[in-house]
Amino acid sequence: MPNLTSQQVKELADNLLRMTNALGNYRYENFDRLSEDENMRIKELHLKQLEDTTQLYTKAAVLVMDDVEISLQNIDSITQETRALYKKLGTVQMVLDRATSILTLATAIIGLNPKEITSSIKSLLAPVV
Amino acid sequence: MRMTLKVLVLGITTILLCTNCVNLKHIGEFSVTSIEGIEQFETVSPGFLKICRQDCQQKHIRKLDIHNTDCDCEENEKADSITRVIYHTTKDYFYGLSDLSNNELTSYKTNDFTQALATGDFGPIQLNESDVKAYSDISTLLLRAFTDSFRRKKIKEYVAQAHDPLLKLLDFLELNLTGNLNGKLEVQKSGLKNFYFDFLKDDKLSDYERTKFAEDYFQRISEIAIQQKELDNYTKILRDIAQGHTILYTNVSRMTDEEVRKELAGYGRQMGNTILSLHRM
């Protein structure tokens, strides 16, 4: 995977924020149906995703890397899917799994780990059963 | 006869000088407004470091912990330093352009940024080749403005040479401020909602307490929204500067045409209005 430009890292952060906000909205909208434990777990995952997102915006401001159009397109599709997905996911477990996978992707991007980024993208692009 | 010739030469020289002054006045005015616009940075930008510290403080508030509250904001300091370099470089270009068009070169002095650019002392910050070129092109132009004895005559050439790197720097400034910094403010808003939401849902708290939490939340959100609006207005200024400079660049051979003057004045007025609305916020 080639390097990312500053603009692209910013776009990744924008997408990560959209995914993160979708998770937050899921919790706010389903608060009364979630158990205390589920609520806490999603709240913590949401918080961790927010921390990663703000870190990524800072990275975008200091990092300048090469182009990587395909990965961006992939992230765009992941973002769109994720936002739609939270609306139709049947079980809380699936929401938790999805949120954890996004965290893995965020960690890989922050660490600029091309292998991990690719594998996280693959796992997120896999159809949800 | 000799006296008449002297008067004639003096007269022609005066006319030429005055014509030249008047001809470039609109460029000088545009530069001065651009400088005023760019300098709004000092008031509109909260800075990456400040946001990092606020986030860190919020993290400790969430944990109800006031012991060992150190924050790692090193990366954010780097983000601020690079943004400031871009800001100063852009601003100083317009100081140079203003001085060139106003024929007041003696007042112009190089700033620390030139030294910083020359030494490349950015620590681990990486700039890509074209961005480094943008910085060096701008600073080279400024240095040439001091050494070139025909600098005033070469103003058109400077505008033409500076155009591409200047647009790049303006884009970069916009990216860092209304892209990345604004993004961090968006995250802050989401983080506050994550924090306050549970208090409002907690029926063990009194209505009064929950109302106070809601008020606190809306107060903080509106403070952030004002900062975002300021950044948004700042972007408008940066775009007006870019468009005004593009007018100069595309009309480089007829910079003194009435149409160019009018268009430039239009962007100047637009910037003036945005600056005014920033002051009113």
Side-chain angles (χ1 to χ4, degrees):
Chain A
M1 182 186 231
N3 289 331
L4 300 164
T5 66
S6 170
Q7 174 69 37
Q8 287 164 335
V9 175
K10 183 256 170 193
E11 282 170 24
L12 286 171
D14 286 343
N15 279 332
L16 203 56
L17 180 59
R18 287 186 198 110
M19 290 189 247
T20 303
N21 282 341
L23 178 65
N25 288 338
Y26 175 84
R27 185 172 86 89
Y28 306 140
E29 282 156 22
N30 296 284
F31 186 82
D32 295 328
R33 289 197 283 130
L34 296 168
S35 72
E36 201 174 323
D37 181 53
E38 287 167 348
N39 184 51
M40 281 315 291
R41 283 177 67 191
I42 296 176
K43 185 182 177 179
E44 286 308 312
L45 277 169
H46 182 217
L47 200 58
K48 183 74 183 73
Q49 285 186 3
L50 285 171
E51 284 172 9
D52 285 351
T53 308
T54 197
Q55 203 178 329
L56 205 54
Y57 277 119
T58 305
K59 246 196 170 28
V62 295
L63 275 178
V64 179
M65 299 180 270
D66 297 336
D67 295 344
V68 57
E69 287 302 328
I70 294 167
S71 297
L72 269 180
Q73 283 164 12
N74 280 342
I75 299 281
D76 266 336
S77 352
I78 292 167
T79 305
Q80 283 165 21
E81 277 176 28
T82 300
R83 294 176 79 186
L85 210 58
Y86 282 127
K87 293 194 185 300
K88 66 178 183 190
L89 277 181
T91 68
V92 175
Q93 189 52 51
M94 288 166 87
V95 173
L96 289 171
D97 290 348
R98 182 80 182 177
T100 312
S101 303
I102 290 168
L103 263 188
T104 314
L105 171 65
T107 312
I109 295 170
I110 288 167
L112 302 176
N113 183 335
K115 254 188 181 175
E116 279 294 316
I117 293 174
T118 311
S119 109
S120 301
I121 287 173
K122 272 183 190 161
S123 94
L124 278 163
L125 281 174
V128 179
V129 185
Chain B
M1 178 69 185
R2 202 173 164 177
M3 190 63 185
T4 315
L5 188 66
K6 210 172 172 183
V7 169
L8 190 65
V9 169
L10 190 68
I12 290 170
T13 310
T14 311
I15 289 166
L16 277 176
L17 279 173
C18 288
T19 310
N20 219 8
C21 291
V22 172
N23 280 347
L24 295 176
K25 197 179 161 205
H26 61 299
I27 301 174
E29 284 170 354
F30 174 72
S31 305
V32 168
T33 315
S34 298
I35 291 165
E36 197 189 343
I38 294 167
E39 284 180 343
Q40 300 304 308
F41 173 90
E42 299 290 355
T43 49
V44 302
S45 171
F48 287 84
L49 180 62
K50 188 176 172 189
I51 294 178
C52 177
R53 284 184 177 149
Q54 286 171 343
D55 288 346
C56 178
Q57 194 179 54
Q58 180 62 29
K59 198 173 172 177
H60 293 299
I61 290 171
R62 192 183 288 275
K63 291 178 182 169
L64 299 174
D65 183 15
I66 55 165
H67 184 59
N68 290 333
T69 53
D70 290 346
C71 306
D72 178 12
C73 291
E74 201 183 323
E75 194 83 346
N76 288 276
E77 280 186 84
K78 284 181 210 162
D80 276 334
S81 78
I82 197 160
T83 310
R84 287 199 81 82
V85 168
I86 298 167
Y87 157 67
H88 280 297
T89 309
T90 311
K91 187 179 71 167
D92 288 342
Y93 165 71
F94 279 101
Y95 267 113
L97 188 61
S98 162
D99 288 347
L100 279 169
S101 50
N102 289 327
N103 203 19
E104 291 166 1
L105 284 158
T106 46
S107 65
Y108 188 81
K109 289 192 169 51
T110 46
N111 279 333
D112 290 342
F113 85 90
T114 312
Q115 180 62 30
L117 286 167
T119 57
D121 185 17
F122 298 120
I125 294 170
Q126 296 170 38
L127 301 173
N128 74 26
E129 204 178 313
S130 58
D131 299 326
V132 172
K133 194 172 178 311
Y135 299 134
S136 72
D137 284 354
I138 290 275
S139 44
T140 307
L141 281 174
L142 291 174
L143 288 172
R144 280 182 57 190
F146 289 99
T147 53
D148 190 343
S149 60
F150 301 103
R151 58 205 168 204
R152 195 159 181 277
K153 289 180 184 171
K154 295 207 169 193
I155 189 168
K156 292 175 185 177
E157 196 182 316
Y158 287 155
V159 167
Q161 285 179 359
H163 190 63
D164 285 346
L166 178 73
L167 289 197
K168 196 154 186 57
L169 292 188
L170 289 170
D171 275 351
F172 221 136
L173 202 52
E174 182 176 335
L175 174 70
N176 267 9
L177 294 178
T178 47
N180 296 319
L181 203 58
N182 186 58
K184 285 178 81 71
L185 290 170
E186 272 304 311
V187 173
Q188 240 183 14
K189 279 158 67 176
S190 297
L192 289 172
K193 189 168 180 180
N194 174 296
F195 176 67
Y196 281 101
F197 185 83
D198 297 64
F199 289 116
L200 299 182
K201 287 284 181 183
D202 189 348
D203 51 19
K204 289 192 223 50
L205 296 171
S206 69
D207 280 355
Y208 176 78
E209 287 169 318
R210 288 156 77 181
T211 307
K212 284 289 159 199
F213 275 122
E215 282 176 3
D216 201 9
Y217 167 73
F218 283 119
Q219 172 64 30
R220 294 182 71 179
I221 291 294
S222 72
E223 282 166 11
I224 295 174
I226 289 171
Q227 287 183 322
Q228 289 181 307
K229 181 71 189 156
E230 286 178 347
L231 287 174
D232 194 41
N233 276 338
Y234 190 67
T235 300
K236 286 181 190 160
I237 292 173
L238 295 180
R239 287 180 186 173
D240 281 340
I241 293 172
Q243 282 169 335
H245 202 274
T246 304
I247 294 291
L248 278 180
Y249 173 69
T250 48
N251 296 287
V252 78
S253 55
R254 48 188 193 94
M255 272 179 170
T256 53
D257 278 12
E258 192 55 27
E259 200 183 323
V260 175
R261 284 170 193 277
K262 277 184 185 166
E263 285 199 66
L264 218 50
Y267 285 116
R269 270 196 303 278
Q270 230 165 266
M271 265 194 275
N273 288 338
T274 314
I275 293 167
L276 206 62
S277 57
L278 268 175
H279 290 171
R280 284 179 184 153
M281 286 183 85

Coordinates of all heavy atoms in Angstrom, one line a residue, chain A residues 37-78:
Chain A
D37 N -24.7 -3.2 30.9 CA -23.4 -3.6 30.4 C -23.2 -3.3 28.9 O -22.1 -2.8 28.5 CB -23.3 -5.1 30.7 CG -21.9 -5.6 30.2 OD1 -20.9 -5.0 30.7 OD2 -21.9 -6.6 29.4
E38 N -24.2 -3.6 28.1 CA -24.1 -3.3 26.7 C -23.9 -1.8 26.4 O -23.1 -1.4 25.6 CB -25.4 -3.8 26.0 CG -25.5 -5.2 25.8 CD -26.9 -5.7 25.4 OE1 -27.9 -4.9 25.4 OE2 -27.1 -6.9 25.1
N39 N -24.7 -1.0 27.2 CA -24.6 0.4 27.1 C -23.2 0.9 27.4 O -22.6 1.7 26.6 CB -25.6 1.1 28.0 CG -25.6 2.6 27.9 OD1 -25.7 3.1 26.8 ND2 -25.5 3.3 29.0
M40 N -22.6 0.4 28.5 CA -21.3 0.8 28.9 C -20.2 0.4 27.8 O -19.3 1.2 27.5 CB -20.9 0.2 30.2 CG -21.5 0.9 31.4 SD -21.4 2.7 31.3 CE -19.7 2.9 31.6
R41 N -20.4 -0.8 27.3 CA -19.4 -1.3 26.3 C -19.4 -0.5 25.1 O -18.4 -0.1 24.5 CB -19.7 -2.8 26.0 CG -19.2 -3.7 27.1 CD -19.5 -5.2 26.8 NE -18.8 -5.7 25.7 CZ -19.0 -6.8 25.1 NH1 -20.0 -7.6 25.6 NH2 -18.3 -7.3 24.1
I42 N -20.6 -0.2 24.6 CA -20.7 0.7 23.4 C -20.2 2.1 23.7 O -19.5 2.7 22.9 CB -22.2 0.7 22.9 CG1 -22.6 -0.7 22.4 CG2 -22.3 1.7 21.7 CD1 -24.0 -0.8 22.0
K43 N -20.6 2.6 24.9 CA -20.1 3.9 25.2 C -18.6 4.0 25.2 O -18.0 5.0 24.7 CB -20.6 4.3 26.6 CG -20.3 5.7 27.0 CD -20.8 6.0 28.4 CE -20.4 7.4 28.8 NZ -20.8 7.8 30.2
E44 N -17.9 3.0 25.8 CA -16.5 3.0 25.8 C -15.9 2.8 24.4 O -14.9 3.5 24.1 CB -16.0 1.8 26.7 CG -16.1 2.1 28.2 CD -15.6 3.5 28.6 OE1 -14.4 3.8 28.3 OE2 -16.3 4.2 29.3
L45 N -16.5 1.9 23.6 CA -16.0 1.8 22.2 C -16.1 3.1 21.4 O -15.2 3.5 20.7 CB -16.8 0.7 21.5 CG -16.4 -0.8 21.7 CD1 -17.4 -1.7 21.2 CD2 -15.1 -1.0 21.0
H46 N -17.3 3.8 21.6 CA -17.5 5.0 21.0 C -16.4 6.1 21.4 O -15.9 6.8 20.5 CB -18.9 5.5 21.4 CG -19.3 6.8 20.8 ND1 -20.1 7.8 21.5 CD2 -19.1 7.3 19.5 CE1 -20.2 8.8 20.6 NE2 -19.7 8.6 19.5
L47 N -16.2 6.1 22.7 CA -15.2 7.0 23.2 C -13.8 6.7 22.6 O -13.1 7.7 22.2 CB -15.1 6.9 24.7 CG -14.5 8.1 25.5 CD1 -15.3 9.3 25.2 CD2 -14.6 7.8 27.0
K48 N -13.4 5.5 22.5 CA -12.1 5.1 22.0 C -12.0 5.5 20.5 O -11.0 6.0 20.1 CB -12.0 3.6 22.2 CG -10.6 3.0 21.7 CD -9.5 3.4 22.7 CE -8.1 3.0 22.2 NZ -7.6 3.8 21.1
Q49 N -13.2 5.3 19.8 CA -13.2 5.6 18.4 C -13.0 7.2 18.2 O -12.3 7.6 17.3 CB -14.5 5.2 17.7 CG -14.6 3.7 17.4 CD -15.8 3.4 16.6 OE1 -16.6 4.2 16.2 NE2 -16.0 2.1 16.4
L50 N -13.6 7.9 19.1 CA -13.5 9.4 19.1 C -12.0 9.8 19.3 O -11.5 10.7 18.6 CB -14.4 10.1 20.1 CG -15.9 10.1 19.7 CD1 -16.7 10.6 20.9 CD2 -16.1 11.0 18.5
E51 N -11.4 9.1 20.3 CA -10.0 9.4 20.6 C -9.1 9.2 19.4 O -8.2 9.9 19.0 CB -9.5 8.6 21.8 CG -10.0 9.1 23.1 CD -9.7 8.2 24.3 OE1 -8.9 7.2 24.1 OE2 -10.2 8.5 25.4
D52 N -9.4 8.0 18.7 CA -8.6 7.7 17.5 C -8.8 8.7 16.4 O -7.9 9.1 15.6 CB -9.0 6.3 17.0 CG -8.4 5.2 17.9 OD1 -7.6 5.5 18.7 OD2 -8.8 4.0 17.7
T53 N -10.1 9.1 16.3 CA -10.4 10.1 15.2 C -9.7 11.4 15.4 O -9.1 11.9 14.4 CB -12.0 10.3 15.1 OG1 -12.6 9.1 15.1 CG2 -12.3 11.1 13.9
T54 N -9.7 11.9 16.6 CA -9.1 13.2 16.8 C -7.6 13.1 16.6 O -6.9 14.0 16.1 CB -9.4 13.8 18.2 OG1 -9.1 15.2 18.2 CG2 -8.7 13.2 19.3
Q55 N -7.0 11.9 16.9 CA -5.6 11.7 16.7 C -5.3 11.7 15.2 O -4.3 12.1 14.8 CB -5.3 10.3 17.3 CG -3.8 10.1 17.7 CD -3.5 8.8 18.3 OE1 -4.4 8.2 19.0 NE2 -2.4 8.2 18.1
L56 N -6.2 11.1 14.5 CA -6.0 11.0 13.0 C -6.1 12.4 12.4 O -5.3 12.7 11.4 CB -7.1 10.1 12.4 CG -6.8 9.5 11.1 CD1 -5.5 8.7 11.2 CD2 -7.9 8.5 10.6
Y57 N -6.9 13.3 12.9 CA -7.0 14.7 12.3 C -5.6 15.4 12.6 O -5.1 16.1 11.7 CB -8.1 15.5 13.0 CG -9.4 15.3 12.4 CD1 -10.5 14.8 13.1 CD2 -9.7 15.6 11.0 CE1 -11.8 14.6 12.5 CE2 -10.9 15.4 10.4 CZ -12.0 14.9 11.2 OH -13.2 14.7 10.6
T58 N -5.1 15.1 13.8 CA -3.7 15.7 14.0 C -2.7 15.1 13.1 O -1.8 15.8 12.6 CB -3.4 15.4 15.5 OG1 -4.4 15.9 16.3 CG2 -2.1 16.1 15.9
K59 N -2.8 13.8 12.9 CA -1.8 13.2 12.0 C -1.9 13.8 10.6 O -0.9 14.0 9.9 CB -2.1 11.7 11.9 CG -1.0 10.9 12.5 CD -1.1 9.4 12.2 CE 0.2 8.7 12.6 NZ 0.9 9.1 13.6
A60 N -3.2 14.0 10.2 CA -3.4 14.6 8.8 C -2.7 15.9 8.7 O -2.2 16.3 7.6 CB -4.9 14.7 8.5
A61 N -2.7 16.6 9.8 CA -2.1 18.0 9.8 C -0.6 17.9 9.7 O 0.1 18.9 9.3 CB -2.5 18.8 11.0
V62 N 0.0 16.8 10.1 CA 1.5 16.8 10.1 C 2.1 15.8 9.1 O 3.2 15.9 8.7 CB 2.1 16.5 11.5 CG1 1.8 17.6 12.5 CG2 1.6 15.2 12.1
L63 N 1.3 14.9 8.7 CA 1.8 13.8 7.8 C 1.5 14.2 6.4 O 0.4 14.5 6.0 CB 1.2 12.5 8.1 CG 1.9 11.7 9.2 CD1 1.1 10.4 9.5 CD2 3.3 11.4 8.9
V64 N 2.5 13.9 5.5 CA 2.2 14.1 4.1 C 2.7 12.9 3.4 O 3.8 12.5 3.5 CB 3.0 15.4 3.6 CG1 2.8 15.6 2.1 CG2 2.6 16.6 4.4
M65 N 1.8 12.3 2.7 CA 2.2 11.0 2.1 C 1.7 10.9 0.7 O 1.0 11.8 0.1 CB 1.6 9.9 2.9 CG 2.1 9.8 4.3 SD 1.4 8.5 5.3 CE 0.0 9.3 6.0
D66 N 2.1 9.8 0.0 CA 1.7 9.6 -1.4 C 0.3 9.2 -1.6 O -0.5 8.9 -0.7 CB 2.6 8.5 -2.0 CG 4.1 9.0 -2.0 OD1 4.3 10.2 -1.9 OD2 5.0 8.1 -2.0
D67 N -0.1 9.2 -2.9 CA -1.5 8.9 -3.2 C -1.9 7.5 -3.0 O -1.1 6.5 -3.1 CB -1.7 9.3 -4.7 CG -1.5 10.7 -4.9 OD1 -1.6 11.5 -3.9 OD2 -1.4 11.1 -6.1
V68 N -3.2 7.3 -2.7 CA -3.7 5.9 -2.6 C -5.2 5.9 -2.8 O -6.0 5.8 -1.9 CB -3.3 5.3 -1.2 CG1 -3.7 6.1 -0.1 CG2 -3.7 3.9 -1.1
E69 N -5.6 6.1 -4.0 CA -7.0 6.3 -4.4 C -7.9 5.1 -4.0 O -9.0 5.2 -3.5 CB -7.1 6.6 -5.9 CG -6.6 8.0 -6.3 CD -7.4 9.1 -5.5 OE1 -8.6 8.9 -5.2 OE2 -6.8 10.1 -5.3
I70 N -7.4 3.9 -4.4 CA -8.2 2.7 -4.2 C -8.6 2.5 -2.7 O -9.8 2.2 -2.4 CB -7.5 1.4 -4.7 CG1 -7.4 1.6 -6.3 CG2 -8.3 0.2 -4.4 CD1 -6.4 0.6 -6.9
S71 N -7.7 2.7 -1.9 CA -8.0 2.5 -0.4 C -9.0 3.5 0.0 O -9.9 3.2 0.8 CB -6.7 2.7 0.4 OG -5.8 1.7 0.1
L72 N -8.9 4.7 -0.5 CA -9.8 5.8 -0.1 C -11.2 5.4 -0.6 O -12.2 5.6 0.2 CB -9.5 7.1 -0.8 CG -8.6 8.0 0.0 CD1 -8.3 9.3 -0.7 CD2 -9.2 8.4 1.4
Q73 N -11.3 4.9 -1.8 CA -12.6 4.5 -2.3 C -13.2 3.4 -1.4 O -14.4 3.3 -1.1 CB -12.5 3.9 -3.8 CG -12.4 5.1 -4.8 CD -11.9 4.6 -6.1 OE1 -11.8 3.4 -6.4 NE2 -11.5 5.5 -6.9
N74 N -12.3 2.4 -1.0 CA -12.7 1.3 -0.2 C -13.3 1.9 1.2 O -14.3 1.5 1.6 CB -11.6 0.4 0.1 CG -11.3 -0.6 -1.0 OD1 -12.2 -0.8 -1.8 ND2 -10.2 -1.2 -1.0
I75 N -12.5 2.8 1.7 CA -12.9 3.4 3.0 C -14.3 4.1 2.8 O -15.2 4.1 3.7 CB -11.9 4.4 3.5 CG1 -10.6 3.7 3.8 CG2 -12.4 5.1 4.8 CD1 -10.5 2.9 5.0
D76 N -14.4 4.8 1.7 CA -15.7 5.5 1.4 C -16.9 4.5 1.4 O -17.9 4.7 2.0 CB -15.7 6.2 0.0 CG -15.3 7.6 0.2 OD1 -15.4 8.2 1.3 OD2 -14.8 8.2 -0.8
S77 N -16.7 3.3 0.7 CA -17.8 2.3 0.7 C -18.0 1.8 2.1 O -19.1 1.6 2.5 CB -17.5 1.1 -0.2 OG -16.4 1.3 -1.0
I78 N -16.9 1.6 2.9 CA -17.0 1.1 4.2 C -17.9 2.1 5.1 O -18.8 1.7 5.8 CB -15.7 0.9 4.9 CG1 -14.9 -0.3 4.2 CG2 -15.8 0.6 6.4 CD1 -13.5 -0.3 4.6

